[in-house]
Amino acid sequence: MRKYLESKRELLAVVCNNCGKDLLVENGIIKEGCFDVTSVFGYFSRKDGQIHSFDLCEDCYDRMIAGFRIPVDCRDAEEML
């Protein structure tokens, strides 16, 4: 979950939606691992037209993917933005 300073849209805080941990944010920049998801549900889903967003700390992300039957596709980024 993200909290912004409305007047400037500056990122103030990020909280893990699973465990509630406050992630480190300095000057509007997340300074630790964060898995952020935004999904737009389209036709043929039970959530037509809804947009769901959440953030997970790195520990919660690791616990989530540990239970996958098919492992995540993991590769190195060519550029870090």
Side-chain angles (χ1 to χ4, degrees), residues 26-80:
E26 291 179 353
N27 299 318
I29 299 169
I30 303 171
K31 297 281 187 133
E32 62 181 292
C34 177
F35 178 69
D36 63 309
V37 175
T38 299
S39 182
V40 179
F41 288 90
Y43 297 117
F44 312 111
S45 80
R46 293 184 309 274
K47 297 169 186 61
D48 282 357
Q50 294 181 16
I51 301 171
H52 290 210
S53 299
F54 64 90
D55 294 287
L56 295 178
C57 68
E58 199 166 355
D59 289 337
C60 287
Y61 172 79
D62 289 342
R63 282 192 292 275
M64 179 183 73
I65 67 168
F68 286 4
R69 287 187 180 188
I70 300 169
V72 297
D73 180 24
C74 181
R75 58 189 178 276
D76 291 332
E78 293 182 21
E79 289 186 31
M80 299 285 287

Side-chain angles (χ1 to χ4, degrees), residues 11-15 21-34:
L11 184 63
L12 295 176
V14 179
V15 178
K21 175 185 174 185
D22 288 313
L23 280 66
L24 180 61
V25 175
E26 291 179 353
N27 299 318
I29 299 169
I30 303 171
K31 297 281 187 133
E32 62 181 292
C34 177

